[in-house]
Amino acid sequence: MTIETGKFAAAVGISAALFWIACSVIVWISPAMMMSMTGHMLHADLSGMTWELTLGGVLAGVALWTGLSAVLGGLIAGVYNRLVVRRAE
């Protein structure tokens, strides 16, 4: 069974966009909690920092992450499909 590369890439891109938007909303609602959580994930003390959340930044981020994730999803599907075809031979 192979993966439809274009559809998989679109699904990954859309998922990344939804995740980016959800994270941006959470940062907007509760910036201190998100800064603390980000610090824990990075094993760093970010307590002296603040978020600068702008509409332009959110839109640029969603565009960038959607595109990069779609490319990565397409690459993953392509590699997977090549591995499946080679295994079937």
Side-chain angles (χ1 to χ4, degrees), residues 18-49:
L18 294 173
F19 187 74
W20 178 267
I21 291 167
C23 286
S24 296
V25 168
I26 295 169
V27 167
W28 178 61
I29 291 170
S30 185
M33 180 195 73
M34 287 300 287
M35 185 61 74
S36 176
M37 184 175 13
T38 302
H40 291 307
M41 288 189 298
L42 297 175
H43 307 287
D45 180 11
L46 304 179
S47 60
M49 299 180 72

PDB file of all heavy atoms in Angstrom, residues 18-49:
ATOM      1  N   LEU A  18      -3.291  24.265  12.030  1.00  0.00           N
ATOM      2  CA  LEU A  18      -4.230  24.236  13.159  1.00  0.00           C
ATOM      3  C   LEU A  18      -3.496  24.253  14.493  1.00  0.00           C
ATOM      4  O   LEU A  18      -3.899  24.947  15.434  1.00  0.00           O
ATOM      5  CB  LEU A  18      -5.138  23.007  13.064  1.00  0.00           C
ATOM      6  CG  LEU A  18      -6.106  22.995  11.876  1.00  0.00           C
ATOM      7  CD1 LEU A  18      -6.823  21.658  11.785  1.00  0.00           C
ATOM      8  CD2 LEU A  18      -7.092  24.141  11.983  1.00  0.00           C
ATOM      9  N   PHE A  19      -2.403  23.516  14.572  1.00  0.00           N
ATOM     10  CA  PHE A  19      -1.610  23.480  15.799  1.00  0.00           C
ATOM     11  C   PHE A  19      -0.997  24.853  16.075  1.00  0.00           C
ATOM     12  O   PHE A  19      -1.005  25.329  17.209  1.00  0.00           O
ATOM     13  CB  PHE A  19      -0.522  22.405  15.687  1.00  0.00           C
ATOM     14  CG  PHE A  19       0.226  22.180  16.954  1.00  0.00           C
ATOM     15  CD1 PHE A  19      -0.353  21.510  18.014  1.00  0.00           C
ATOM     16  CD2 PHE A  19       1.535  22.638  17.095  1.00  0.00           C
ATOM     17  CE1 PHE A  19       0.340  21.307  19.202  1.00  0.00           C
ATOM     18  CE2 PHE A  19       2.241  22.432  18.267  1.00  0.00           C
ATOM     19  CZ  PHE A  19       1.641  21.770  19.322  1.00  0.00           C
ATOM     20  N   TRP A  20      -0.462  25.515  15.042  1.00  0.00           N
ATOM     21  CA  TRP A  20       0.137  26.842  15.201  1.00  0.00           C
ATOM     22  C   TRP A  20      -0.900  27.848  15.697  1.00  0.00           C
ATOM     23  O   TRP A  20      -0.629  28.639  16.601  1.00  0.00           O
ATOM     24  CB  TRP A  20       0.734  27.306  13.873  1.00  0.00           C
ATOM     25  CG  TRP A  20       1.325  28.678  13.963  1.00  0.00           C
ATOM     26  CD1 TRP A  20       0.697  29.863  13.672  1.00  0.00           C
ATOM     27  CD2 TRP A  20       2.628  29.024  14.402  1.00  0.00           C
ATOM     28  NE1 TRP A  20       1.558  30.921  13.888  1.00  0.00           N
ATOM     29  CE2 TRP A  20       2.750  30.430  14.342  1.00  0.00           C
ATOM     30  CE3 TRP A  20       3.725  28.275  14.831  1.00  0.00           C
ATOM     31  CZ2 TRP A  20       3.911  31.095  14.703  1.00  0.00           C
ATOM     32  CZ3 TRP A  20       4.879  28.952  15.181  1.00  0.00           C
ATOM     33  CH2 TRP A  20       4.964  30.335  15.119  1.00  0.00           C
ATOM     34  N   ILE A  21      -2.076  27.817  15.098  1.00  0.00           N
ATOM     35  CA  ILE A  21      -3.138  28.742  15.498  1.00  0.00           C
ATOM     36  C   ILE A  21      -3.561  28.476  16.943  1.00  0.00           C
ATOM     37  O   ILE A  21      -3.729  29.413  17.732  1.00  0.00           O
ATOM     38  CB  ILE A  21      -4.329  28.661  14.527  1.00  0.00           C
ATOM     39  CG1 ILE A  21      -3.910  29.234  13.164  1.00  0.00           C
ATOM     40  CG2 ILE A  21      -5.542  29.413  15.074  1.00  0.00           C
ATOM     41  CD1 ILE A  21      -4.885  28.939  12.042  1.00  0.00           C
ATOM     42  N   ALA A  22      -3.721  27.207  17.309  1.00  0.00           N
ATOM     43  CA  ALA A  22      -4.099  26.869  18.682  1.00  0.00           C
ATOM     44  C   ALA A  22      -3.037  27.353  19.673  1.00  0.00           C
ATOM     45  O   ALA A  22      -3.364  27.952  20.703  1.00  0.00           O
ATOM     46  CB  ALA A  22      -4.304  25.362  18.819  1.00  0.00           C
ATOM     47  N   CYS A  23      -1.769  27.138  19.361  1.00  0.00           N
ATOM     48  CA  CYS A  23      -0.697  27.597  20.254  1.00  0.00           C
ATOM     49  C   CYS A  23      -0.684  29.117  20.354  1.00  0.00           C
ATOM     50  O   CYS A  23      -0.481  29.669  21.444  1.00  0.00           O
ATOM     51  CB  CYS A  23       0.651  27.094  19.759  1.00  0.00           C
ATOM     52  SG  CYS A  23       0.915  25.337  20.067  1.00  0.00           S
ATOM     53  N   SER A  24      -0.901  29.793  19.246  1.00  0.00           N
ATOM     54  CA  SER A  24      -0.924  31.260  19.252  1.00  0.00           C
ATOM     55  C   SER A  24      -2.061  31.790  20.114  1.00  0.00           C
ATOM     56  O   SER A  24      -1.893  32.764  20.858  1.00  0.00           O
ATOM     57  CB  SER A  24      -1.043  31.799  17.831  1.00  0.00           C
ATOM     58  OG  SER A  24       0.089  31.443  17.069  1.00  0.00           O
ATOM     59  N   VAL A  25      -3.215  31.151  20.040  1.00  0.00           N
ATOM     60  CA  VAL A  25      -4.360  31.562  20.862  1.00  0.00           C
ATOM     61  C   VAL A  25      -4.043  31.352  22.338  1.00  0.00           C
ATOM     62  O   VAL A  25      -4.339  32.214  23.176  1.00  0.00           O
ATOM     63  CB  VAL A  25      -5.644  30.806  20.448  1.00  0.00           C
ATOM     64  CG1 VAL A  25      -6.752  30.986  21.464  1.00  0.00           C
ATOM     65  CG2 VAL A  25      -6.100  31.258  19.066  1.00  0.00           C
ATOM     66  N   ILE A  26      -3.417  30.236  22.660  1.00  0.00           N
ATOM     67  CA  ILE A  26      -3.071  29.967  24.058  1.00  0.00           C
ATOM     68  C   ILE A  26      -2.044  30.983  24.562  1.00  0.00           C
ATOM     69  O   ILE A  26      -2.140  31.466  25.694  1.00  0.00           O
ATOM     70  CB  ILE A  26      -2.582  28.517  24.249  1.00  0.00           C
ATOM     71  CG1 ILE A  26      -3.720  27.536  23.939  1.00  0.00           C
ATOM     72  CG2 ILE A  26      -2.072  28.299  25.666  1.00  0.00           C
ATOM     73  CD1 ILE A  26      -3.283  26.095  23.844  1.00  0.00           C
ATOM     74  N   VAL A  27      -1.057  31.343  23.729  1.00  0.00           N
ATOM     75  CA  VAL A  27      -0.083  32.370  24.115  1.00  0.00           C
ATOM     76  C   VAL A  27      -0.794  33.695  24.341  1.00  0.00           C
ATOM     77  O   VAL A  27      -0.499  34.419  25.291  1.00  0.00           O
ATOM     78  CB  VAL A  27       1.026  32.517  23.050  1.00  0.00           C
ATOM     79  CG1 VAL A  27       1.845  33.781  23.278  1.00  0.00           C
ATOM     80  CG2 VAL A  27       1.926  31.300  23.040  1.00  0.00           C
ATOM     81  N   TRP A  28      -1.753  34.028  23.502  1.00  0.00           N
ATOM     82  CA  TRP A  28      -2.504  35.278  23.627  1.00  0.00           C
ATOM     83  C   TRP A  28      -3.319  35.296  24.927  1.00  0.00           C
ATOM     84  O   TRP A  28      -3.368  36.293  25.627  1.00  0.00           O
ATOM     85  CB  TRP A  28      -3.402  35.451  22.418  1.00  0.00           C
ATOM     86  CG  TRP A  28      -4.255  36.673  22.429  1.00  0.00           C
ATOM     87  CD1 TRP A  28      -3.836  37.969  22.462  1.00  0.00           C
ATOM     88  CD2 TRP A  28      -5.679  36.713  22.427  1.00  0.00           C
ATOM     89  NE1 TRP A  28      -4.914  38.816  22.462  1.00  0.00           N
ATOM     90  CE2 TRP A  28      -6.070  38.066  22.442  1.00  0.00           C
ATOM     91  CE3 TRP A  28      -6.668  35.739  22.394  1.00  0.00           C
ATOM     92  CZ2 TRP A  28      -7.396  38.455  22.446  1.00  0.00           C
ATOM     93  CZ3 TRP A  28      -7.984  36.132  22.386  1.00  0.00           C
ATOM     94  CH2 TRP A  28      -8.332  37.472  22.416  1.00  0.00           C
ATOM     95  N   ILE A  29      -3.941  34.145  25.258  1.00  0.00           N
ATOM     96  CA  ILE A  29      -4.793  34.060  26.447  1.00  0.00           C
ATOM     97  C   ILE A  29      -3.964  34.000  27.730  1.00  0.00           C
ATOM     98  O   ILE A  29      -4.302  34.642  28.723  1.00  0.00           O
ATOM     99  CB  ILE A  29      -5.724  32.830  26.357  1.00  0.00           C
ATOM    100  CG1 ILE A  29      -6.765  33.036  25.252  1.00  0.00           C
ATOM    101  CG2 ILE A  29      -6.403  32.551  27.683  1.00  0.00           C
ATOM    102  CD1 ILE A  29      -7.575  31.795  24.926  1.00  0.00           C
ATOM    103  N   SER A  30      -2.907  33.206  27.709  1.00  0.00           N
ATOM    104  CA  SER A  30      -2.125  32.991  28.933  1.00  0.00           C
ATOM    105  C   SER A  30      -0.621  32.996  28.637  1.00  0.00           C
ATOM    106  O   SER A  30       0.027  31.941  28.644  1.00  0.00           O
ATOM    107  CB  SER A  30      -2.540  31.662  29.565  1.00  0.00           C
ATOM    108  OG  SER A  30      -1.891  31.483  30.789  1.00  0.00           O
ATOM    109  N   PRO A  31      -0.062  34.177  28.382  1.00  0.00           N
ATOM    110  CA  PRO A  31       1.348  34.234  27.987  1.00  0.00           C
ATOM    111  C   PRO A  31       2.319  33.732  29.066  1.00  0.00           C
ATOM    112  O   PRO A  31       3.310  33.074  28.745  1.00  0.00           O
ATOM    113  CB  PRO A  31       1.580  35.706  27.674  1.00  0.00           C
ATOM    114  CG  PRO A  31       0.456  36.438  28.323  1.00  0.00           C
ATOM    115  CD  PRO A  31      -0.687  35.484  28.410  1.00  0.00           C
ATOM    116  N   ALA A  32       2.055  34.024  30.331  1.00  0.00           N
ATOM    117  CA  ALA A  32       2.976  33.601  31.395  1.00  0.00           C
ATOM    118  C   ALA A  32       3.042  32.078  31.501  1.00  0.00           C
ATOM    119  O   ALA A  32       4.129  31.499  31.628  1.00  0.00           O
ATOM    120  CB  ALA A  32       2.555  34.204  32.732  1.00  0.00           C
ATOM    121  N   MET A  33       1.880  31.420  31.431  1.00  0.00           N
ATOM    122  CA  MET A  33       1.856  29.962  31.502  1.00  0.00           C
ATOM    123  C   MET A  33       2.612  29.352  30.319  1.00  0.00           C
ATOM    124  O   MET A  33       3.391  28.415  30.482  1.00  0.00           O
ATOM    125  CB  MET A  33       0.420  29.447  31.511  1.00  0.00           C
ATOM    126  CG  MET A  33       0.342  27.924  31.583  1.00  0.00           C
ATOM    127  SD  MET A  33      -1.269  27.247  31.174  1.00  0.00           S
ATOM    128  CE  MET A  33      -1.334  27.490  29.409  1.00  0.00           C
ATOM    129  N   MET A  34       2.412  29.903  29.132  1.00  0.00           N
ATOM    130  CA  MET A  34       3.079  29.357  27.949  1.00  0.00           C
ATOM    131  C   MET A  34       4.585  29.617  27.988  1.00  0.00           C
ATOM    132  O   MET A  34       5.366  28.780  27.540  1.00  0.00           O
ATOM    133  CB  MET A  34       2.464  29.941  26.678  1.00  0.00           C
ATOM    134  CG  MET A  34       1.081  29.375  26.380  1.00  0.00           C
ATOM    135  SD  MET A  34       1.079  27.576  26.153  1.00  0.00           S
ATOM    136  CE  MET A  34       1.851  27.448  24.552  1.00  0.00           C
ATOM    137  N   MET A  35       5.008  30.759  28.519  1.00  0.00           N
ATOM    138  CA  MET A  35       6.440  31.035  28.637  1.00  0.00           C
ATOM    139  C   MET A  35       7.070  30.038  29.609  1.00  0.00           C
ATOM    140  O   MET A  35       8.151  29.508  29.355  1.00  0.00           O
ATOM    141  CB  MET A  35       6.680  32.464  29.104  1.00  0.00           C
ATOM    142  CG  MET A  35       8.150  32.852  29.136  1.00  0.00           C
ATOM    143  SD  MET A  35       8.981  32.789  27.536  1.00  0.00           S
ATOM    144  CE  MET A  35       8.294  34.247  26.752  1.00  0.00           C
ATOM    145  N   SER A  36       6.378  29.762  30.701  1.00  0.00           N
ATOM    146  CA  SER A  36       6.868  28.787  31.673  1.00  0.00           C
ATOM    147  C   SER A  36       6.959  27.394  31.043  1.00  0.00           C
ATOM    148  O   SER A  36       7.962  26.698  31.199  1.00  0.00           O
ATOM    149  CB  SER A  36       5.952  28.760  32.893  1.00  0.00           C
ATOM    150  OG  SER A  36       6.347  27.762  33.793  1.00  0.00           O
ATOM    151  N   MET A  37       5.912  26.992  30.318  1.00  0.00           N
ATOM    152  CA  MET A  37       5.905  25.679  29.685  1.00  0.00           C
ATOM    153  C   MET A  37       7.009  25.574  28.632  1.00  0.00           C
ATOM    154  O   MET A  37       7.694  24.562  28.539  1.00  0.00           O
ATOM    155  CB  MET A  37       4.547  25.388  29.035  1.00  0.00           C
ATOM    156  CG  MET A  37       4.488  24.003  28.459  1.00  0.00           C
ATOM    157  SD  MET A  37       2.939  23.405  27.753  1.00  0.00           S
ATOM    158  CE  MET A  37       1.898  24.768  27.592  1.00  0.00           C
ATOM    159  N   THR A  38       7.199  26.642  27.854  1.00  0.00           N
ATOM    160  CA  THR A  38       8.256  26.646  26.844  1.00  0.00           C
ATOM    161  C   THR A  38       9.622  26.522  27.516  1.00  0.00           C
ATOM    162  O   THR A  38      10.489  25.786  27.035  1.00  0.00           O
ATOM    163  CB  THR A  38       8.188  27.934  26.000  1.00  0.00           C
ATOM    164  OG1 THR A  38       6.897  28.008  25.387  1.00  0.00           O
ATOM    165  CG2 THR A  38       9.262  27.957  24.932  1.00  0.00           C
ATOM    166  N   GLY A  39       9.808  27.228  28.620  1.00  0.00           N
ATOM    167  CA  GLY A  39      11.058  27.111  29.362  1.00  0.00           C
ATOM    168  C   GLY A  39      11.314  25.693  29.842  1.00  0.00           C
ATOM    169  O   GLY A  39      12.433  25.191  29.743  1.00  0.00           O
ATOM    170  N   HIS A  40      10.274  25.032  30.320  1.00  0.00           N
ATOM    171  CA  HIS A  40      10.427  23.642  30.765  1.00  0.00           C
ATOM    172  C   HIS A  40      10.785  22.733  29.587  1.00  0.00           C
ATOM    173  O   HIS A  40      11.625  21.843  29.723  1.00  0.00           O
ATOM    174  CB  HIS A  40       9.151  23.142  31.441  1.00  0.00           C
ATOM    175  CG  HIS A  40       8.870  23.792  32.758  1.00  0.00           C
ATOM    176  ND1 HIS A  40       9.785  23.845  33.786  1.00  0.00           N
ATOM    177  CD2 HIS A  40       7.771  24.443  33.216  1.00  0.00           C
ATOM    178  CE1 HIS A  40       9.267  24.475  34.823  1.00  0.00           C
ATOM    179  NE2 HIS A  40       8.047  24.871  34.492  1.00  0.00           N
ATOM    180  N   MET A  41      10.151  22.949  28.443  1.00  0.00           N
ATOM    181  CA  MET A  41      10.429  22.107  27.275  1.00  0.00           C
ATOM    182  C   MET A  41      11.858  22.305  26.772  1.00  0.00           C
ATOM    183  O   MET A  41      12.475  21.370  26.264  1.00  0.00           O
ATOM    184  CB  MET A  41       9.435  22.394  26.146  1.00  0.00           C
ATOM    185  CG  MET A  41       8.042  21.882  26.431  1.00  0.00           C
ATOM    186  SD  MET A  41       6.919  21.977  25.019  1.00  0.00           S
ATOM    187  CE  MET A  41       6.839  23.721  24.712  1.00  0.00           C
ATOM    188  N   LEU A  42      12.376  23.526  26.898  1.00  0.00           N
ATOM    189  CA  LEU A  42      13.728  23.831  26.426  1.00  0.00           C
ATOM    190  C   LEU A  42      14.784  23.684  27.510  1.00  0.00           C
ATOM    191  O   LEU A  42      15.972  23.926  27.258  1.00  0.00           O
ATOM    192  CB  LEU A  42      13.769  25.262  25.868  1.00  0.00           C
ATOM    193  CG  LEU A  42      12.892  25.538  24.657  1.00  0.00           C
ATOM    194  CD1 LEU A  42      12.943  27.016  24.300  1.00  0.00           C
ATOM    195  CD2 LEU A  42      13.325  24.687  23.477  1.00  0.00           C
ATOM    196  N   HIS A  43      14.363  23.307  28.726  1.00  0.00           N
ATOM    197  CA  HIS A  43      15.276  23.189  29.867  1.00  0.00           C
ATOM    198  C   HIS A  43      16.024  24.504  30.075  1.00  0.00           C
ATOM    199  O   HIS A  43      17.244  24.527  30.221  1.00  0.00           O
ATOM    200  CB  HIS A  43      16.264  22.032  29.678  1.00  0.00           C
ATOM    201  CG  HIS A  43      15.600  20.730  29.369  1.00  0.00           C
ATOM    202  ND1 HIS A  43      14.923  20.016  30.317  1.00  0.00           N
ATOM    203  CD2 HIS A  43      15.500  20.033  28.209  1.00  0.00           C
ATOM    204  CE1 HIS A  43      14.444  18.913  29.759  1.00  0.00           C
ATOM    205  NE2 HIS A  43      14.773  18.909  28.479  1.00  0.00           N
ATOM    206  N   ALA A  44      15.266  25.600  30.029  1.00  0.00           N
ATOM    207  CA  ALA A  44      15.872  26.927  30.147  1.00  0.00           C
ATOM    208  C   ALA A  44      15.027  27.802  31.060  1.00  0.00           C
ATOM    209  O   ALA A  44      13.833  27.576  31.233  1.00  0.00           O
ATOM    210  CB  ALA A  44      15.956  27.566  28.765  1.00  0.00           C
ATOM    211  N   ASP A  45      15.686  28.811  31.637  1.00  0.00           N
ATOM    212  CA  ASP A  45      14.974  29.784  32.463  1.00  0.00           C
ATOM    213  C   ASP A  45      14.591  30.965  31.572  1.00  0.00           C
ATOM    214  O   ASP A  45      15.424  31.797  31.236  1.00  0.00           O
ATOM    215  CB  ASP A  45      15.853  30.245  33.614  1.00  0.00           C
ATOM    216  CG  ASP A  45      15.164  31.267  34.506  1.00  0.00           C
ATOM    217  OD1 ASP A  45      13.934  31.473  34.360  1.00  0.00           O
ATOM    218  OD2 ASP A  45      15.858  31.858  35.351  1.00  0.00           O
ATOM    219  N   LEU A  46      13.334  31.027  31.170  1.00  0.00           N
ATOM    220  CA  LEU A  46      12.851  32.090  30.303  1.00  0.00           C
ATOM    221  C   LEU A  46      12.031  33.112  31.073  1.00  0.00           C
ATOM    222  O   LEU A  46      11.322  33.919  30.476  1.00  0.00           O
ATOM    223  CB  LEU A  46      11.998  31.497  29.170  1.00  0.00           C
ATOM    224  CG  LEU A  46      12.667  30.430  28.302  1.00  0.00           C
ATOM    225  CD1 LEU A  46      11.695  29.928  27.240  1.00  0.00           C
ATOM    226  CD2 LEU A  46      13.937  30.948  27.674  1.00  0.00           C
ATOM    227  N   SER A  47      12.146  33.106  32.387  1.00  0.00           N
ATOM    228  CA  SER A  47      11.305  33.966  33.218  1.00  0.00           C
ATOM    229  C   SER A  47      11.520  35.454  32.952  1.00  0.00           C
ATOM    230  O   SER A  47      10.624  36.257  33.183  1.00  0.00           O
ATOM    231  CB  SER A  47      11.521  33.664  34.701  1.00  0.00           C
ATOM    232  OG  SER A  47      12.870  33.881  35.055  1.00  0.00           O
ATOM    233  N   GLY A  48      12.673  35.848  32.444  1.00  0.00           N
ATOM    234  CA  GLY A  48      12.941  37.245  32.159  1.00  0.00           C
ATOM    235  C   GLY A  48      12.476  37.681  30.779  1.00  0.00           C
ATOM    236  O   GLY A  48      12.645  38.829  30.395  1.00  0.00           O
ATOM    237  N   MET A  49      11.880  36.770  30.022  1.00  0.00           N
ATOM    238  CA  MET A  49      11.476  37.079  28.652  1.00  0.00           C
ATOM    239  C   MET A  49       9.968  37.280  28.573  1.00  0.00           C
ATOM    240  O   MET A  49       9.235  36.857  29.459  1.00  0.00           O
ATOM    241  CB  MET A  49      11.896  35.943  27.719  1.00  0.00           C
ATOM    242  CG  MET A  49      13.387  35.717  27.674  1.00  0.00           C
ATOM    243  SD  MET A  49      13.848  34.373  26.578  1.00  0.00           S
ATOM    244  CE  MET A  49      13.534  35.131  25.006  1.00  0.00           C
TER     245      MET A  49
END
